[in-house]
Amino acid sequence: MSTDADLVERAKAGDERAFRALYDRTVDRVFRLAYRMAGDGDLARDFTQETFVRAYQRLEQFRGESAFSTWVHSIAISVTLNGLRKSARHRDRERTLDEAHAVPSSAREPEPGLWGRIEAAVDGLPDIYRTVFVMHDVEGYSHGEIAASLGVAEGTSKARLFRARSKLREVLGAAMEEYA
Amino acid sequence: MSQDIRSIYGRYNTPPETPREEMWDAIVARIREEGAPADNEVSLEAARARRRWPAARGWAAAAAVLVVGIALGRATAPAPTGTADATGAVADARAADAVARPTPTALDFAAFQHLGRSESLLAMVRADARQGRIDPAVAPWARSLLMETRLLLDVRRGGDPTLDGLLAELELVLSQIVGVTETGADEGRRRTELDLTVGGMDQREVLTRIRAVIPAGMSSE
């Protein structure tokens, strides 16, 4: 079985099958991460595709100083966060329009359940915390992997996770007690 | 963290099965489509050749921009209207034209020239960002352009709002580029910030708007 380094060299030389093999080895985790961050299949597909297109275009710059999957993940995170910012702006614009056209109603919205509150609390985390939280607590990445993918120190990854969990506890504390 | 809590959070945005083949087909199509060198690579190379702009000349360059702008403004200013021979349809047409297209002021010309130079830098930074790098020569060049932009914004108070708005956008982008180039962060972080900067620039269509506003022949030095 070829190593990542062999495949990268062959892909750099134009071997499409080698790049496909690299894709097969990494795409699941990239797609899962993109989906977890975006919560939308179309966006996750777009971000994953963009990640591998960029990886292919920048393959010459990959010098093997980190694992290929780490390098691809750093591209994926950058693409995903950028893409989410753009789509958030579009969503905000759409929401403003929807609100403008909404018929006022006196009916009270049902209270969200515990799971709804958890989702909303995670969604509400700032990107830098949510990324680390999703990677570590949801997808099970190690702090070493997260640090390498984000280009930060492991301590920074741990600190961000700590902050993310603290914020979630703040938001969810009361809800958790209700359901205890 | 306990396994129980992880299993709860594991429900967050649960991904479906990876659509491998569908995405692979799209990736291959994109790579083949974008495989050929883009047309703008040629002009980017030209921009790369022009990139050396010593920062020490920043203020002198800014002053020169203004002087050139004023000179151009005087040279191209329309002749006074209302003379005895300016009568009939021709005079009406001139008057209508003057109303429809306000004559650019000297400071507008200075701004056009400045935008032309900035366009070269922004195009180069965007191309570099695609390659995941940034040329060290960008830092002094961007700083110099940022200084000029602020100078122009100061002296143009109350000018053409479209042009002033574009200069304000340019100031933001340039200050972000200066921030990226001068940050002490590691390479990965720098690349992320560069991507964000270029993403924001594309989102606001800064390059397109600059190209649209610059009169023909003034797009570069």
Side-chain angles (χ1 to χ4, degrees):
Chain A
M1 191 174 163
S2 304
T3 63
D4 281 2
D6 291 337
L7 291 172
V8 168
E9 285 313 309
R10 283 167 45 200
K12 281 182 182 177
D15 183 343
E16 190 178 300
R17 278 184 305 177
F19 188 66
R20 170 69 201 231
L22 289 165
Y23 169 83
D24 283 337
R25 287 181 186 186
T26 45
V27 69
D28 282 339
R29 288 187 99 199
V30 168
F31 178 76
R32 286 178 66 84
L33 181 59
Y35 192 93
R36 296 277 197 192
M37 291 297 291
D40 178 283
D42 288 339
L43 285 177
R45 267 197 297 275
D46 285 350
F47 297 157
T48 306
Q49 287 163 198
E50 182 65 26
T51 297
F52 283 95
V53 169
R54 286 198 196 182
Y56 184 83
Q57 290 169 340
R58 297 175 183 180
L59 211 48
E60 281 300 325
Q61 294 159 30
F62 177 66
R63 304 196 199 295
E65 288 156 359
S66 62
F68 178 77
S69 70
T70 304
W71 183 67
V72 167
H73 269 81
S74 66
I75 297 173
I77 290 164
S78 172
V79 165
T80 301
L81 293 181
N82 261 328
L84 285 175
R85 283 190 190 113
K86 284 184 192 172
S87 67
R89 274 195 284 268
H90 289 148
R91 257 202 324 268
D92 287 348
R93 240 175 270 152
E94 284 168 8
R95 193 179 301 144
T96 310
L97 269 177
D98 288 345
E99 281 164 5
H101 293 109
V103 179
S105 164
S106 58
R108 201 167 161 243
E109 289 292 321
E111 284 290 324
L114 175 62
W115 178 245
R117 292 191 195 188
I118 291 175
E119 274 189 316
V122 178
D123 284 344
L125 289 173
D127 277 346
I128 60 167
Y129 301 133
R130 193 166 72 99
T131 306
V132 174
F133 175 80
V134 165
M135 290 180 86
H136 189 277
D137 281 2
V138 180
E139 279 293 298
Y141 288 66
S142 69
H143 280 296
E145 287 176 300
I146 297 169
S149 299
L150 294 178
V152 299
E154 273 195 49
T156 307
S157 171
K158 288 176 185 172
R160 286 182 185 176
L161 181 63
F162 178 79
R163 290 282 297 150
R165 287 177 179 173
S166 302
K167 280 178 178 288
L168 288 178
R169 265 196 301 273
E170 273 170 35
V171 176
L172 293 173
M176 290 293 199
E177 279 166 22
E178 277 176 34
Y179 284 81
Chain B
M1 182 181 177
S2 79
Q3 198 59 37
D4 288 346
I5 300 291
R6 178 163 291 160
S7 67
I8 291 174
Y9 286 136
R11 286 175 55 196
Y12 178 70
N13 291 342
T14 310
E17 196 175 331
T18 310
R20 281 187 179 215
E21 297 307 320
E22 181 192 333
M23 290 194 298
W24 175 253
D25 290 345
I27 290 164
V28 170
R30 278 271 311 275
I31 288 172
R32 287 183 182 152
E33 186 187 308
E34 296 174 15
D39 289 345
N40 64 351
E41 292 300 317
V42 176
S43 63
L44 291 172
E45 281 308 311
R48 208 175 291 284
R50 290 195 300 265
R51 69 173 48 176
R52 313 295 168 196
W53 183 319
R57 290 189 304 167
W59 282 104
V65 165
L66 292 176
V67 169
V68 169
I70 290 164
L72 275 170
R74 284 182 179 159
T76 57
T81 54
T83 52
D85 60 344
T87 55
V90 174
D92 289 343
R94 276 185 188 164
D97 192 45
V99 170
R101 291 190 289 114
T103 309
T105 66
L107 286 173
D108 288 343
F109 278 105
F112 293 148
Q113 287 205 323
H114 175 67
L115 288 171
R117 276 192 298 274
S118 302
E119 185 237 343
S120 300
L121 175 97
L122 299 185
M124 195 179 70
V125 167
R126 189 163 70 165
D128 277 353
R130 282 188 191 144
Q131 310 278 327
R133 65 180 187 199
I134 188 157
D135 192 306
V138 161
W141 189 8
R143 237 189 349 261
S144 170
L145 287 173
L146 177 61
M147 199 162 54
E148 283 182 52
T149 308
R150 286 175 175 159
L151 184 64
L152 275 168
L153 278 168
D154 274 349
V155 298
R156 284 181 50 84
R157 279 182 204 288
D160 172 11
T162 307
L163 206 45
D164 287 350
L166 193 49
L167 284 168
E169 289 269 18
L170 179 63
E171 185 199 13
L172 175 66
V173 173
L174 287 172
S175 60
Q176 286 173 328
I177 292 171
V178 169
V180 171
T181 55
E182 294 184 344
T183 180
D186 56 57
E187 194 57 27
R189 164 67 42 189
R190 220 155 68 125
R191 284 186 183 184
T192 305
E193 286 178 7
L194 180 61
D195 278 342
L196 291 173
T197 299
V198 171
M201 183 172 91
D202 287 346
Q203 179 76 21
R204 298 192 298 276
E205 299 178 326
V206 176
L207 258 177
T208 312
R209 286 160 59 199
I210 287 177
R211 286 169 182 154
V213 85
I214 302 173
M218 294 185 76
S219 59
S220 60
E221 290 165 290

